[in-house]
Amino acid sequence: MTWVNAIVQGLLLGGVYALFACGLSLVFGVLRIVNLAHGDLTVLAAFLAVVATGTLGVNPLVSLVVVVPVMALLGFVLQRALLHRSLQGGELAPLLVTFGLSIVLQNALLQTFSADTRSLPAGEFGTASLQLGDGLAVGWLALSTLVVAVAVLAGLQVVLARTPIGRAMRATSDDPETAALMGLDDRRVYAIATAIALATVALAGVFYGMRGTFTPTLGPQLLIFAFEAVIIGGLGSLWGTLLGGLVLGVAQAVGAQIQPSYGVLAGHLVFLVVLAARPSGLLRRKELR
Amino acid sequence: MSALLRVRDLDAYYGHFQALSGIELDVDAGEAVAVIGANGAGKSTLLRAIAGLVAQPAGAHVELDGVELRGVPAHRRARMGVSLVPEGRKLFPSLTVRENLLIAASAAAGRSRDGERRWSLDAVYDLFPNVGRLRDRPGGALSGGEQQAVAIGRGLMAEPRVLLLDEVSLGLAPVVVEQLYAALGTIAASGMAMLVVEQDVGAALRLAGRVLCLRAGRTALTGAASQVTAAAVTAAYFGK
Amino acid sequence: MTDVPTTPAPTTAPRVSRTTAASRVAAVVALPVVLLLAALPYLAAPNVTRLLVDLFTLVLLATMWNLLAGYGGMISVGQQGFIGLGAYAVLVADLFGVNPYLGLVLAMVAAAVLALPTALLVFRLHGGYFAIGTWVVAEVYRLVTVEFRAVGAGSGASVTGLSAVPPVLRGAITYWCALAAVVVAIGGVYLLMRSRLGLALTAIRDEPTAAATLGVRVRSAKRIVFVVAAAGCGLAGALIAVDSLRVQPDSVYSVQWSAFMIFMVVIGGLGTIEGPVLGAVVFFAIQQLLAPYGAWYLVVLGAVAIAAALLARRGLWGLVTLHRDVRLLPTGHRLRQDR
Ligand SMILES: Nc1ncnc2c1ncn2[C@@H]1O[C@H](COP(=O)(O)OP(=O)(O)OP(=O)(O)O)[C@@H](O)[C@H]1O
Ligand SMILES: [Mg+2]
């Protein structure tokens, strides 16, 4: 039963990872930028929720009403102010810029909020669980995180595949110059993509914060988890990203079941095995990036 | 009355290399002008400069219906009615044929809300029947001739006032070129201004009323298509 | 054809030159400077040489990261993995009673050996994903290291084998090791870039597909660079260990090392040999000045790196050489027409 439990908890954890990963995947798919500040932006969202819940006295879930639009706006501005310029500087510039941003965010958070461990108490909803049999309970919060992750990924998939803005994103990602000939403003398309990505980052940050604890220096770790989910699943496939998140979550939970300190390591090892055996990921789709 | 597209003193640079110097050109509504010249003469650069993909230096003028386009970025020019069918077709591989066509319609969205739309998916499918059959194929999985038809259709979906075509015939069988130019003939007859870059001088001259021949970025010859002799073209191409 | 007067042939054919005026001066000046630095333990107080050990370690790291990114086109944020390995190699050597200074060599070997399988894995990734991939591998090294009780698990351990050596002598030996490491690293990169491999790397950086079709063995060239850079970082880690006499996993395996390396190289000038050295000096000065301000100094560092990546792509060295031909260590070929 403990193993079944570990797997179930791992799947639920994987939901969070999938949520982390979809923003990274989207920015890479559309802008061709690997955003090395992705994890720190997630942590920033969690801290914004700390401030919002503190000042407004609301439940973290309610704080999403503020945090999601603020992060989306930040994404828009970030793209306009930094990322777009870096795109003109060849392959290295975006990496250097986002890595610099990661250092800035991390240390600014550290100075502002200290190194203390935080969490976002979600009240009764955060602690209640669904009993599925003896020894097997599923937290409502964990379950709803997974549901949100699936919904966000499905939503993104629909936006990309069926809406005009999704079409514009795919076209701009294919060839920004020709897209401009079609009347598409690449700066706007990129900025909207980044805004959407950071909205998902906001969701990920707040849900992560409700599920566990976080510190200002957690960002790099989250970036790594998001990255592993993306690569395990296969670059460019959103459903692959979900699968990658779930595989990573299960690997970590099972590893931790063997010995607590093996959790993260087990995740890394599964990632390396996938990289060695199936470098294009479990679900690589060629046509949709 | 000035021409629909008016180009004056147009220079273009790639870094320090000057690809165009002092180009002057007028294209009226309903008129087709052929741009010819040897490889590297600057034909594509001319079209790209008009479309806004190559920077327009101070002192150079590109006007659409009397409106100066300097400083207007490519995507806004597209929305104003300058549509370039680029060299190499450049279809979007992640989009289906239908989506490739629809994506250009967004360029026309702002302008033709009040005025009636001339081009629609059905109109393009009527013009190029095989495009209709291929509508759900990805843009990357087409033959050269099919790609060119989609690229022209896509250019039309932007509801251009000026249509710029770069090397329509490149790499295509003569019979396919014939069909494409027949279609372009009907479009020209409907009153659109066209600037056609061609290596296939014969094809271009059948469509165009006037011709502009470039050599090393400068105008080497210009005149009515009917007046231009083969010898004059050869001389303009290669220099005396 | 009529008689065309032939243009007189130039009296001398153009020559390919591999030196500049500045480089000849540099060659003459370098030796006395190195000798002076070598004599420093006899001339200056131990705390000066101690600071210089830190600086030399930074120069070594910057040179290695530049080799990877500036010449090899590989952005790594996982070099701390090799720094940590190097530090732990000293610790393990120490455990077995081997002289920690000998551990410096073992550290290079250990890092180079582990770099081979690492390259096999991370070379499957490209661009930014390569960067994070190296980071994951560094994390794996750290997580595996802390599983071993013998080296102090999560809290680390001290290097004990040097306690018999008098501190002044120990400081001097460490200093000489660091100086030698820097000289070898800069000289090595210089020679590497002037060799056939350097030419291949330049071709790969400029046009990877064309280089591959022309028979440049892209993968093996990159692998050599990766292994050399790993060895260099391992050496840096070992220097940190013999200098501080204490190895803590969270510190030697910290991603902050990558941040520092990136900062030094970007500020100094990517893709030159002089740039990273200059960057290391600037970084070292900033670190000394701003360290009291805690994390704010890292905020400033990050912001400056962003600005440099966007605005001054060629770094400080690029500004210095903007209108002058002052390449001290030229790696390219130049055509000269002698009159
Ligand atoms: N991106 C670029 N950077 C530098 N030079 C360029 C660039 N594009 C074109 N050129 C140069 O500008 C000149 C004109 O090029 P252009 O593409 O306009 O020629 P073209 O007449 O269209 O030739 P073709 O018939 O081969 O298509 C050429 O000498 C070319 O080498
Ligand atoms: Mg051309």
Side-chain angles (χ1 to χ4, degrees):
Chain A
M1 208 62 204
T2 51
W3 292 104
V4 176
N5 188 46
I7 290 173
V8 170
Q9 303 306 331
L11 287 172
L12 295 172
L13 183 60
V16 192
Y17 293 160
L19 204 50
F20 284 153
C22 64
L24 188 71
S25 194
L26 183 66
V27 170
F28 179 74
V30 179
L31 284 79
R32 298 302 158 86
I33 286 181
V34 176
N35 178 9
L36 296 180
H38 184 79
D40 304 287
L41 287 164
T42 313
V43 175
L44 174 69
F47 274 101
L48 280 180
V50 167
V51 174
T53 50
T55 52
L56 305 175
V58 294
N59 188 286
L61 278 178
V62 180
S63 79
L64 284 172
V65 180
V66 183
V67 178
V68 170
V70 168
M71 289 300 287
L73 186 68
L74 178 67
F76 200 91
V77 173
L78 195 65
Q79 158 61 22
R80 280 294 175 100
L82 288 182
L83 300 185
H84 198 81
R85 292 193 65 148
S86 79
L87 278 172
Q88 267 106 53
E91 211 194 331
L92 298 188
L95 291 175
L96 300 176
V97 167
T98 55
F99 192 72
L101 183 65
S102 153
I103 307 280
V104 169
L105 280 177
Q106 208 181 107
N107 290 289
L109 284 173
L110 201 56
Q111 281 292 333
T112 318
F113 294 99
S114 83
D116 294 350
T117 301
R118 306 289 184 121
S119 66
L120 290 168
E124 214 167 298
F125 174 67
T127 48
S129 62
L130 183 66
Q131 209 67 34
L132 289 181
D134 65 336
L136 186 60
V138 177
W140 278 112
L141 176 60
L143 196 59
S144 45
T145 310
L146 180 59
V147 171
V148 167
V150 174
V152 166
L153 282 161
L156 274 183
Q157 188 73 49
V158 169
V159 167
L160 275 176
R162 302 202 190 286
T163 65
I165 184 65
R167 201 155 61 208
M169 284 181 200
R170 281 182 290 145
T172 309
S173 155
D174 275 353
D175 181 351
E177 186 177 276
T178 306
L181 293 177
M182 306 300 128
L184 298 174
D185 179 1
D186 60 348
R187 289 210 312 163
R188 211 177 98 85
V189 173
Y190 287 153
I192 291 172
T194 315
I196 294 176
L198 285 210
T200 71
V201 159
L203 280 172
V206 172
F207 273 93
Y208 188 86
M210 290 191 294
R211 292 200 47 174
T213 58
F214 53 93
T215 66
T217 49
L218 187 67
Q221 181 102 70
L222 300 186
L223 168 69
I224 288 181
F225 292 161
F227 157 76
E228 288 176 334
V230 169
I231 300 289
I232 292 174
L235 266 183
S237 156
L238 285 174
W239 292 125
T241 299
L242 177 63
L243 180 66
L246 296 180
V247 168
L248 183 65
V250 170
Q252 289 188 356
V254 168
Q257 184 68 40
I258 299 169
Q259 188 185 314
S261 69
Y262 287 176
V264 174
L265 184 59
H268 292 335
L269 293 179
V270 165
F271 159 77
L272 291 177
V273 167
V274 170
L275 193 57
R278 209 182 147 85
S280 57
L282 299 175
L283 280 190
R284 163 105 201 193
R285 279 242 297 268
K286 275 264 151 58
E287 68 275 25
L288 258 185
R289 234 143 309 138
Chain B
M1 196 44 222
S2 75
L4 181 58
L5 176 70
R6 186 166 175 273
V7 175
R8 288 291 175 275
D9 275 332
L10 181 61
D11 297 351
Y13 295 86
Y14 294 108
H16 291 296
F17 176 74
Q18 183 163 11
L20 289 180
S21 29
I23 303 298
E24 314 252 312
L25 176 69
D26 284 318
V27 189
D28 280 314
E31 189 188 25
V33 175
V35 180
I36 60 175
N39 290 123
K43 307 179 295 295
S44 299
T45 306
L46 174 60
L47 296 197
R48 291 167 57 82
I50 294 170
L53 296 178
V54 176
Q56 185 179 330
H61 299 281
V62 175
E63 289 170 14
L64 179 71
D65 208 2
V67 180
E68 172 64 55
L69 295 183
R70 188 182 317 110
V72 179
H75 69 272
R76 298 240 343 266
R77 294 189 189 201
R79 292 180 199 169
M80 291 167 74
V82 178
S83 183
L84 169 63
V85 179
E87 191 171 11
R89 292 100 202 203
K90 303 277 174 68
L91 298 188
F92 300 109
S94 337
L95 273 57
T96 63
V97 165
R98 189 172 156 276
E99 288 179 319
N100 264 285
L101 296 172
L102 283 176
I103 198 104
S106 56
R111 204 157 18 96
S112 53
R113 195 174 297 127
D114 33 332
E116 77 285 12
R117 285 269 183 97
R118 288 207 33 224
W119 293 98
S120 61
L121 287 176
D122 287 332
V124 173
Y125 297 158
D126 279 346
L127 189 66
F128 301 113
N130 58 339
V131 170
R133 284 196 301 278
L134 300 166
R135 70 187 78 179
D136 292 321
R137 284 258 199 103
L142 301 178
S143 77
E146 291 161 352
Q147 285 185 31
Q148 189 66 70
V150 177
I152 293 173
R154 190 178 61 174
L156 293 171
M157 289 292 284
E159 299 284 346
R161 304 171 71 190
V162 177
L163 184 62
L164 311 170
L165 295 143
D166 200 348
E167 310 250 11
V168 167
S169 71
L170 193 71
L172 303 184
V175 52
V176 178
V177 176
E178 200 67 43
Q179 287 164 2
L180 290 173
Y181 268 90
L184 290 176
T186 37
I187 301 163
S190 72
M192 193 179 292
M194 276 195 213
L195 199 53
V196 190
V197 162
E198 255 312 344
Q199 292 285 358
D200 185 342
V201 179
L205 289 187
R206 252 170 286 143
L207 177 68
R210 274 191 306 127
V211 61
L212 168 72
C213 183
L214 295 179
R215 189 173 68 241
R218 294 174 186 278
T219 306
L221 173 75
T222 169
S226 52
Q227 249 111 65
V228 174
T229 64
V233 169
T234 316
Y237 247 75
F238 303 111
K240 318 260 132 114
Chain C
M1 226 175 107
T2 53
D3 262 356
V4 178
T6 52
T7 47
T11 43
T12 51
R15 286 192 311 137
V16 175
S17 158
R18 307 211 60 180
T19 59
T20 65
S23 80
R24 285 184 289 270
V25 174
V28 175
V29 173
L31 192 64
V33 167
V34 170
L35 287 178
L36 180 71
L37 283 174
L40 210 59
Y42 298 107
L43 308 172
N47 54 354
V48 174
T49 51
R50 184 112 207 243
L51 276 179
L52 282 177
V53 171
D54 289 348
L55 174 61
F56 291 164
T57 309
L58 291 174
V59 172
L60 175 60
L61 288 173
T63 302
M64 288 304 121
W65 200 82
N66 176 57
L67 175 64
L68 270 179
Y71 293 128
M74 294 172 271
I75 296 246
S76 162
V77 273
Q79 292 311 102
Q80 67 273 15
F82 298 110
I83 298 175
L85 276 177
Y88 273 93
V90 170
L91 207 53
V92 170
D94 189 41
L95 277 180
F96 286 97
V98 179
N99 185 315
Y101 289 117
L102 215 59
L104 294 179
V105 179
L106 295 178
M108 288 174 70
V109 174
V113 166
L114 271 161
L116 281 169
T118 302
L120 214 58
L121 285 171
V122 293
F123 278 19
R124 292 164 176 246
L125 301 163
H126 299 281
Y129 286 126
F130 171 86
I132 315 181
T134 58
W135 196 349
V136 172
V137 173
E139 279 295 289
V140 170
Y141 289 171
R142 181 178 67 84
L143 291 168
V144 170
T145 305
V146 299
E147 289 299 320
F148 288 97
R149 291 247 173 70
V151 288
S155 49
S158 294
V159 181
T160 53
L162 293 175
S163 46
V165 187
V168 176
L169 179 60
R170 198 184 66 220
I173 297 177
T174 305
Y175 171 82
W176 283 319
C177 288
L179 178 62
V182 164
V183 171
V184 169
I186 294 177
V189 170
Y190 175 62
L191 292 177
L192 199 66
M193 288 313 294
R194 283 177 69 113
S195 70
R196 285 179 62 90
L197 182 76
L199 208 57
L201 287 173
T202 313
I204 293 166
R205 187 181 57 183
D206 294 346
E207 205 56 73
T209 3
T213 50
L214 286 175
V216 176
R217 307 207 11 225
V218 177
R219 247 170 192 264
S220 77
K222 285 193 154 189
R223 197 179 307 127
I224 292 171
V225 165
F226 191 78
V227 170
V228 170
C233 290
L235 178 57
L239 281 171
I240 292 166
V242 293
D243 183 40
S244 64
L245 296 182
R246 175 140 192 95
V247 177
Q248 277 174 311
D250 289 346
S251 139
V252 289
Y253 282 115
S254 166
V255 69
Q256 210 155 66
W257 290 113
S258 282
F260 293 167
M261 286 186 252
I262 292 177
F263 179 84
M264 292 185 286
V265 175
V266 172
I267 290 294
L270 189 72
T272 61
I273 291 180
E274 300 89 341
V277 179
L278 184 62
V281 173
V282 170
F283 172 74
F284 183 69
I286 294 179
Q287 206 179 28
Q288 300 300 318
L289 284 175
L290 297 185
Y293 299 94
W296 284 126
Y297 112 84
L298 289 167
V299 173
V300 173
L301 226 54
V304 172
I306 293 174
L310 289 178
L311 305 173
R313 301 238 165 86
R314 297 175 57 221
L316 286 175
W317 189 252
L319 295 179
V320 171
T321 58
L322 199 53
H323 300 295
R324 277 156 298 201
D325 190 20
V326 281
R327 283 169 294 171
L328 304 179
L329 296 170
T331 56
H333 299 71
R334 295 186 317 149
L335 267 189
R336 280 207 329 205
Q337 177 78 65
D338 291 344
R339 299 247 151 223

mmCIF file of all heavy atoms in Angstrom, chain C residues 243-267:
data_model
loop_
_atom_site.group_PDB
_atom_site.id
_atom_site.type_symbol
_atom_site.label_atom_id
_atom_site.label_comp_id
_atom_site.label_asym_id
_atom_site.label_seq_id
_atom_site.Cartn_x
_atom_site.Cartn_y
_atom_site.Cartn_z
ATOM 1 N N ASP C 243 43.144 26.118 -0.416
ATOM 2 C CA ASP C 243 43.241 27.476 0.103
ATOM 3 C C ASP C 243 42.431 27.623 1.385
ATOM 4 O O ASP C 243 42.910 28.173 2.373
ATOM 5 C CB ASP C 243 42.756 28.465 -0.956
ATOM 6 C CG ASP C 243 42.898 29.901 -0.487
ATOM 7 O OD1 ASP C 243 43.928 30.209 0.154
ATOM 8 O OD2 ASP C 243 41.993 30.710 -0.753
ATOM 9 N N SER C 244 41.190 27.116 1.367
ATOM 10 C CA SER C 244 40.327 27.320 2.534
ATOM 11 C C SER C 244 40.425 26.165 3.521
ATOM 12 O O SER C 244 39.956 26.284 4.654
ATOM 13 C CB SER C 244 38.883 27.495 2.073
ATOM 14 O OG SER C 244 38.447 26.306 1.455
ATOM 15 N N LEU C 245 41.000 25.058 3.078
ATOM 16 C CA LEU C 245 41.174 23.873 3.916
ATOM 17 C C LEU C 245 39.853 23.292 4.410
ATOM 18 O O LEU C 245 39.802 22.519 5.340
ATOM 19 C CB LEU C 245 42.082 24.174 5.127
ATOM 20 C CG LEU C 245 43.520 24.540 4.761
ATOM 21 C CD1 LEU C 245 44.330 24.775 6.026
ATOM 22 C CD2 LEU C 245 44.152 23.451 3.914
ATOM 23 N N ARG C 246 38.763 23.713 3.773
ATOM 24 C CA ARG C 246 37.481 23.163 4.169
ATOM 25 C C ARG C 246 36.624 23.016 2.913
ATOM 26 O O ARG C 246 36.634 23.887 2.040
ATOM 27 C CB ARG C 246 36.810 24.090 5.172
ATOM 28 C CG ARG C 246 35.435 23.662 5.532
ATOM 29 C CD ARG C 246 35.077 23.822 7.005
ATOM 30 N NE ARG C 246 33.820 23.098 7.221
ATOM 31 C CZ ARG C 246 33.748 21.847 7.652
ATOM 32 N NH1 ARG C 246 34.829 21.199 7.991
ATOM 33 N NH2 ARG C 246 32.577 21.242 7.760
ATOM 34 N N VAL C 247 35.924 21.895 2.817
ATOM 35 C CA VAL C 247 35.075 21.657 1.656
ATOM 36 C C VAL C 247 33.649 21.457 2.124
ATOM 37 O O VAL C 247 33.374 20.544 2.907
ATOM 38 C CB VAL C 247 35.550 20.416 0.869
ATOM 39 C CG1 VAL C 247 34.615 20.141 -0.298
ATOM 40 C CG2 VAL C 247 36.968 20.620 0.368
ATOM 41 N N GLN C 248 32.760 22.341 1.652
ATOM 42 C CA GLN C 248 31.343 22.207 1.999
ATOM 43 C C GLN C 248 30.561 22.017 0.708
ATOM 44 O O GLN C 248 30.698 22.815 -0.223
ATOM 45 C CB GLN C 248 30.847 23.475 2.692
ATOM 46 C CG GLN C 248 31.169 23.501 4.164
ATOM 47 C CD GLN C 248 30.797 24.833 4.767
ATOM 48 O OE1 GLN C 248 31.157 25.863 4.223
ATOM 49 N NE2 GLN C 248 30.100 24.787 5.876
ATOM 50 N N PRO C 249 29.735 20.986 0.667
ATOM 51 C CA PRO C 249 29.083 20.677 -0.625
ATOM 52 C C PRO C 249 28.241 21.839 -1.151
ATOM 53 O O PRO C 249 28.280 22.137 -2.336
ATOM 54 C CB PRO C 249 28.230 19.448 -0.305
ATOM 55 C CG PRO C 249 28.140 19.376 1.174
ATOM 56 C CD PRO C 249 29.367 20.031 1.713
ATOM 57 N N ASP C 250 27.478 22.484 -0.265
ATOM 58 C CA ASP C 250 26.597 23.535 -0.766
ATOM 59 C C ASP C 250 27.375 24.720 -1.304
ATOM 60 O O ASP C 250 26.869 25.485 -2.120
ATOM 61 C CB ASP C 250 25.640 23.986 0.339
ATOM 62 C CG ASP C 250 24.614 22.917 0.625
ATOM 63 O OD1 ASP C 250 24.500 21.992 -0.196
ATOM 64 O OD2 ASP C 250 23.947 22.995 1.680
ATOM 65 N N SER C 251 28.601 24.869 -0.829
ATOM 66 C CA SER C 251 29.381 25.998 -1.320
ATOM 67 C C SER C 251 30.161 25.646 -2.584
ATOM 68 O O SER C 251 30.136 26.387 -3.556
ATOM 69 C CB SER C 251 30.288 26.480 -0.172
ATOM 70 O OG SER C 251 31.551 26.806 -0.647
ATOM 71 N N VAL C 252 30.843 24.494 -2.605
ATOM 72 C CA VAL C 252 31.633 24.190 -3.815
ATOM 73 C C VAL C 252 30.752 23.803 -4.998
ATOM 74 O O VAL C 252 31.121 24.032 -6.144
ATOM 75 C CB VAL C 252 32.698 23.089 -3.573
ATOM 76 C CG1 VAL C 252 33.803 23.620 -2.699
ATOM 77 C CG2 VAL C 252 32.094 21.824 -3.017
ATOM 78 N N TYR C 253 29.579 23.260 -4.733
ATOM 79 C CA TYR C 253 28.688 22.886 -5.825
ATOM 80 C C TYR C 253 27.650 23.978 -6.112
ATOM 81 O O TYR C 253 26.647 23.733 -6.767
ATOM 82 C CB TYR C 253 27.944 21.590 -5.497
ATOM 83 C CG TYR C 253 28.750 20.321 -5.664
ATOM 84 C CD1 TYR C 253 29.067 19.523 -4.573
ATOM 85 C CD2 TYR C 253 29.161 19.901 -6.928
ATOM 86 C CE1 TYR C 253 29.783 18.340 -4.723
ATOM 87 C CE2 TYR C 253 29.873 18.723 -7.084
ATOM 88 C CZ TYR C 253 30.182 17.945 -5.985
ATOM 89 O OH TYR C 253 30.876 16.782 -6.154
ATOM 90 N N SER C 254 27.884 25.179 -5.604
ATOM 91 C CA SER C 254 26.866 26.216 -5.743
ATOM 92 C C SER C 254 26.803 26.752 -7.166
ATOM 93 O O SER C 254 27.816 26.982 -7.826
ATOM 94 C CB SER C 254 27.178 27.363 -4.791
ATOM 95 O OG SER C 254 26.413 28.486 -5.136
ATOM 96 N N VAL C 255 25.565 26.982 -7.632
ATOM 97 C CA VAL C 255 25.367 27.518 -8.984
ATOM 98 C C VAL C 255 25.885 28.950 -9.078
ATOM 99 O O VAL C 255 26.066 29.498 -10.156
ATOM 100 C CB VAL C 255 23.881 27.439 -9.391
ATOM 101 C CG1 VAL C 255 23.054 28.413 -8.582
ATOM 102 C CG2 VAL C 255 23.706 27.692 -10.880
ATOM 103 N N GLN C 256 26.153 29.537 -7.912
ATOM 104 C CA GLN C 256 26.696 30.882 -7.913
ATOM 105 C C GLN C 256 28.027 30.966 -8.677
ATOM 106 O O GLN C 256 28.330 31.979 -9.285
ATOM 107 C CB GLN C 256 26.904 31.322 -6.472
ATOM 108 C CG GLN C 256 26.764 32.805 -6.292
ATOM 109 C CD GLN C 256 26.379 33.141 -4.878
ATOM 110 O OE1 GLN C 256 27.149 32.917 -3.961
ATOM 111 N NE2 GLN C 256 25.191 33.662 -4.699
ATOM 112 N N TRP C 257 28.789 29.861 -8.652
ATOM 113 C CA TRP C 257 30.035 29.860 -9.422
ATOM 114 C C TRP C 257 29.761 30.140 -10.886
ATOM 115 O O TRP C 257 30.494 30.872 -11.556
ATOM 116 C CB TRP C 257 30.764 28.528 -9.275
ATOM 117 C CG TRP C 257 31.343 28.310 -7.924
ATOM 118 C CD1 TRP C 257 30.946 27.382 -7.011
ATOM 119 C CD2 TRP C 257 32.415 29.049 -7.312
ATOM 120 N NE1 TRP C 257 31.700 27.489 -5.863
ATOM 121 C CE2 TRP C 257 32.602 28.500 -6.022
ATOM 122 C CE3 TRP C 257 33.206 30.108 -7.723
ATOM 123 C CZ2 TRP C 257 33.568 28.976 -5.147
ATOM 124 C CZ3 TRP C 257 34.168 30.593 -6.859
ATOM 125 C CH2 TRP C 257 34.347 30.032 -5.582
ATOM 126 N N SER C 258 28.682 29.530 -11.385
ATOM 127 C CA SER C 258 28.340 29.774 -12.782
ATOM 128 C C SER C 258 27.979 31.229 -12.991
ATOM 129 O O SER C 258 28.352 31.840 -13.994
ATOM 130 C CB SER C 258 27.180 28.878 -13.210
ATOM 131 O OG SER C 258 27.649 27.583 -13.448
ATOM 132 N N ALA C 259 27.228 31.772 -12.041
ATOM 133 C CA ALA C 259 26.859 33.188 -12.151
ATOM 134 C C ALA C 259 28.114 34.046 -12.227
ATOM 135 O O ALA C 259 28.219 34.946 -13.060
ATOM 136 C CB ALA C 259 25.999 33.591 -10.961
ATOM 137 N N PHE C 260 29.077 33.748 -11.364
ATOM 138 C CA PHE C 260 30.314 34.531 -11.362
ATOM 139 C C PHE C 260 31.054 34.395 -12.694
ATOM 140 O O PHE C 260 31.537 35.368 -13.264
ATOM 141 C CB PHE C 260 31.235 34.078 -10.225
ATOM 142 C CG PHE C 260 30.699 34.370 -8.849
ATOM 143 C CD1 PHE C 260 31.274 33.796 -7.723
ATOM 144 C CD2 PHE C 260 29.621 35.216 -8.667
ATOM 145 C CE1 PHE C 260 30.792 34.062 -6.446
ATOM 146 C CE2 PHE C 260 29.122 35.485 -7.396
ATOM 147 C CZ PHE C 260 29.717 34.899 -6.287
ATOM 148 N N MET C 261 31.150 33.164 -13.164
ATOM 149 C CA MET C 261 31.878 32.939 -14.424
ATOM 150 C C MET C 261 31.224 33.699 -15.564
ATOM 151 O O MET C 261 31.894 34.366 -16.355
ATOM 152 C CB MET C 261 31.896 31.440 -14.763
ATOM 153 C CG MET C 261 32.847 30.654 -13.900
ATOM 154 S SD MET C 261 32.943 28.942 -14.463
ATOM 155 C CE MET C 261 32.085 28.146 -13.177
ATOM 156 N N ILE C 262 29.905 33.593 -15.634
ATOM 157 C CA ILE C 262 29.192 34.279 -16.714
ATOM 158 C C ILE C 262 29.427 35.777 -16.603
ATOM 159 O O ILE C 262 29.740 36.460 -17.581
ATOM 160 C CB ILE C 262 27.686 33.957 -16.651
ATOM 161 C CG1 ILE C 262 27.475 32.479 -16.984
ATOM 162 C CG2 ILE C 262 26.897 34.847 -17.591
ATOM 163 C CD1 ILE C 262 26.039 32.019 -16.877
ATOM 164 N N PHE C 263 29.310 36.285 -15.373
ATOM 165 C CA PHE C 263 29.489 37.715 -15.182
ATOM 166 C C PHE C 263 30.876 38.153 -15.654
ATOM 167 O O PHE C 263 31.010 39.095 -16.429
ATOM 168 C CB PHE C 263 29.298 38.074 -13.708
ATOM 169 C CG PHE C 263 29.492 39.528 -13.439
ATOM 170 C CD1 PHE C 263 28.443 40.421 -13.628
ATOM 171 C CD2 PHE C 263 30.711 40.017 -13.017
ATOM 172 C CE1 PHE C 263 28.620 41.769 -13.408
ATOM 173 C CE2 PHE C 263 30.898 41.369 -12.784
ATOM 174 C CZ PHE C 263 29.849 42.245 -12.986
ATOM 175 N N MET C 264 31.900 37.446 -15.197
ATOM 176 C CA MET C 264 33.271 37.848 -15.532
ATOM 177 C C MET C 264 33.488 37.857 -17.048
ATOM 178 O O MET C 264 34.063 38.796 -17.601
ATOM 179 C CB MET C 264 34.277 36.896 -14.878
ATOM 180 C CG MET C 264 34.308 37.021 -13.367
ATOM 181 S SD MET C 264 35.586 36.012 -12.594
ATOM 182 C CE MET C 264 34.922 34.377 -12.715
ATOM 183 N N VAL C 265 33.006 36.818 -17.691
ATOM 184 C CA VAL C 265 33.275 36.695 -19.125
ATOM 185 C C VAL C 265 32.464 37.717 -19.919
ATOM 186 O O VAL C 265 32.974 38.359 -20.841
ATOM 187 C CB VAL C 265 32.985 35.263 -19.607
ATOM 188 C CG1 VAL C 265 33.146 35.165 -21.108
ATOM 189 C CG2 VAL C 265 33.916 34.289 -18.917
ATOM 190 N N VAL C 266 31.200 37.890 -19.534
ATOM 191 C CA VAL C 266 30.359 38.826 -20.285
ATOM 192 C C VAL C 266 30.849 40.256 -20.101
ATOM 193 O O VAL C 266 30.908 41.038 -21.049
ATOM 194 C CB VAL C 266 28.889 38.681 -19.858
ATOM 195 C CG1 VAL C 266 28.039 39.768 -20.470
ATOM 196 C CG2 VAL C 266 28.375 37.326 -20.284
ATOM 197 N N ILE C 267 31.210 40.599 -18.865
ATOM 198 C CA ILE C 267 31.708 41.944 -18.602
ATOM 199 C C ILE C 267 33.041 42.163 -19.309
ATOM 200 O O ILE C 267 33.282 43.195 -19.921
ATOM 201 C CB ILE C 267 31.894 42.150 -17.079
ATOM 202 C CG1 ILE C 267 30.541 42.221 -16.409
ATOM 203 C CG2 ILE C 267 32.698 43.400 -16.787
ATOM 204 C CD1 ILE C 267 29.744 43.420 -16.802
#
